[in-house]
Amino acid sequence: MTSTTALKTVRTLIAPDKFKGSLTANEVAHALAAGLRSAADKAGKTGAIQCELLPLADGGDGSVDAAVAAGFTRHSHIVAGPTGAPVQTSIAFDGTTAVVEVANTCGLALLPGGKLEVLKSSSRGFGDAVLFALSLNPARIVLALGGSASTDGGMGLLSALGFTFYDGQGHRLEGSGSVLGQIDYVRRTVLPQLAGTELIVASDVHNPLRGPNGSPAVFGPQKGAAAQDVTFLDESLGHFVTKMAEAGFPDAEGLAAHEGAGSAGGIGYACLLLSAKQVSGADYFLDLLDFNARKDTCDVVITGEGSIDEQTLAGKLPAAVARRSGSRPIIAVAGRSLLPKERWPDMHLTQVFTLAEYTDQDSSKDPQLSASLLQKIGKDIGTNLLQLSFT
């Protein structure tokens, strides 16, 4: 970063993802900004570093918060949690687009006592939130699918949106992985609001619904599924697909094999049945939050996430940020980095800072420690920026 002319003010765009299990993207951005500003103050150059904060999400947990931080309005609502107990959630709405997420409606973090319930958990709460979003008359709803506790194929979601499921005795079934195999017939009632609303699945998960790369096999174990549960759920989802075909979805089998059908315990599959459009979560949210326009007014971009590794290079949010940032310096901040320095050019990174370099403690579950370390990193970044000049 050589130059002949120094800027009096360094304009930074702080655009991180969340540090999962520790800090939200908004908290990460504010901690870094506090550190950057303190560096300028200490150098007697208050105001020499300007910080624009753009907390990001990729369609997973934190998507609603990112939209709110970017100017959307938060709307609160009570929905059924993953095991049925009511929880207060929120959606984001800007008058045209609503953002609804799985994580804050029926996600793993909402399980009572943190006890995993892969068979009993349902996506019903996500459906409740979508139904609430429809009441605001949006032109489109962005469906953020990360962090689900359930593997119910989206049965709970569909139950909230006009589908009724019955067993062989005519008893109504509530959505959960445990009852998928008991479905005898399905009654469809099309909600008129859905017909005029564009549904967008913003996700970078490419797994099909079933099979060795399907939802139960790949994601089931992290939701508490033992080997026999994985087999049971895979077979039950197969039965579910058959019943959806009988209910009037001739492409039910093909959609189950579609990339992304296995996201969020099969909620992705239900979204496909509802004719939702699939898009890259990282790129869609960068567009939704107007990243391109914001980075054009900045000299330096600071991004990051909990872990930077080979998966990051494969297209996670920091890689998308780096790809769009052009020739300006890009600094990454992470809890840890498994990416060797010689791979930094693959993401056009100027520098990488990690919390692990600043402490011997495990900061991944300690929000206070993480925030403190991020402020220190921000201060060090700020000190470096004040010493540099840019073209």
Side-chain angles (χ1 to χ4, degrees):
M1 293 185 293
T2 59
S3 171
T4 57
T5 304
L7 295 177
K8 292 183 179 179
T9 301
V10 180
R11 299 164 300 175
T12 63
L13 176 63
I14 305 176
D17 198 353
K18 63 189 172 298
F19 279 32
K20 195 165 187 175
S22 178
L23 297 174
T24 67
N26 193 44
E27 291 168 338
V28 172
H30 275 88
L32 287 170
L36 284 159
R37 293 179 182 124
S38 71
D41 292 343
K42 184 177 181 180
K45 299 178 180 179
T46 299
I49 299 178
Q50 292 182 356
C51 302
E52 180 171 1
L53 278 56
L54 185 63
L56 295 174
D58 59 3
D61 46 324
S63 295
V64 167
D65 287 341
V68 170
F72 282 54
T73 299
R74 187 184 300 276
H75 295 262
S76 297
H77 189 60
I78 301 294
V79 303
T83 55
V87 299
Q88 181 159 325
T89 190
S90 61
I91 69 167
F93 186 50
D94 70 349
T96 301
T97 300
V99 179
V100 183
E101 72 176 60
V102 167
N104 73 2
T105 55
C106 53
L108 283 165
L110 298 176
L111 287 164
K115 182 183 178 183
L116 299 175
E117 295 282 6
V118 67
L119 296 179
K120 295 180 181 179
S121 292
S122 172
S123 60
R124 173 71 194 220
F126 185 57
D128 292 340
V130 172
L131 196 60
F132 172 62
L134 286 169
S135 73
L136 302 177
N137 299 312
R140 72 187 59 85
I141 300 177
V142 180
L143 306 165
L145 302 189
S148 70
S150 64
T151 305
D152 70 349
M155 180 183 176
L157 163 65
L158 295 174
S159 295
L161 297 180
F163 290 72
T164 310
F165 300 88
Y166 298 92
D167 65 14
Q169 288 73 50
H171 299 135
R172 185 169 176 170
L173 297 171
E174 301 298 331
S176 73
S178 64
V179 302
L180 287 169
Q182 300 174 30
I183 298 171
D184 185 62
Y185 69 99
V186 183
R187 179 179 296 162
R188 292 174 60 184
T189 303
V190 179
L191 293 177
Q193 306 97 302
L194 276 175
T197 306
E198 181 183 17
L199 299 179
I200 296 175
V201 173
S203 173
D204 293 306
V205 173
H206 303 295
N207 304 73
L209 183 65
R210 304 179 59 225
N213 294 316
S215 187
V218 175
F219 303 111
Q222 68 192 42
K223 300 177 185 183
Q228 64 269 26
D229 297 325
V230 169
T231 300
F232 171 79
L233 287 167
D234 197 77
E235 293 174 350
S236 297
L237 285 170
H239 178 79
F240 180 59
V241 171
T242 298
K243 292 302 175 181
M244 295 313 293
E246 293 175 1
F249 292 96
D251 55 350
E253 191 71 41
L255 291 176
H258 198 282
E259 286 191 0
S263 60
I267 296 176
Y269 175 64
C271 293
L272 290 173
L273 292 174
L274 295 171
S275 301
K277 176 185 177 183
Q278 288 183 308
V279 299
S280 162
D283 282 311
Y284 186 85
F285 269 85
L286 287 175
D287 289 339
L288 184 69
L289 304 180
D290 204 21
F291 174 82
N292 285 355
R294 296 185 186 220
K295 57 90 174 170
D296 285 343
T297 64
C298 293
D299 306 303
V300 180
V301 174
I302 302 174
T303 188
E305 62 180 350
S307 177
I308 292 180
D309 48 38
E310 291 293 332
Q311 288 187 16
T312 307
L313 291 176
K316 293 178 72 176
L317 194 58
V321 167
R323 186 179 68 247
R324 292 186 178 214
S325 294
S327 59
R328 56 184 49 78
I330 305 164
I331 299 170
V333 179
R336 62 170 188 168
S337 174
L338 302 180
L339 200 65
K341 190 171 183 178
E342 56 267 24
R343 300 296 303 279
W344 291 3
D346 294 350
M347 279 180 60
H348 308 288
L349 297 177
T350 304
Q351 203 164 6
V352 176
F353 290 83
T354 69
L355 273 60
E357 295 172 322
Y358 282 69
T359 183
D360 293 328
Q361 301 178 55
D362 180 8
S363 63
S364 62
K365 305 291 185 191
D366 190 333
Q368 186 173 357
L369 176 60
S370 295
S372 174
L373 295 174
L374 284 169
Q375 286 191 37
K376 290 181 181 179
I377 289 173
K379 187 174 182 179
D380 287 347
I381 293 174
T383 299
N384 291 344
L385 292 178
L386 290 170
Q387 295 171 351
L388 295 172
S389 55
F390 303 90
T391 55

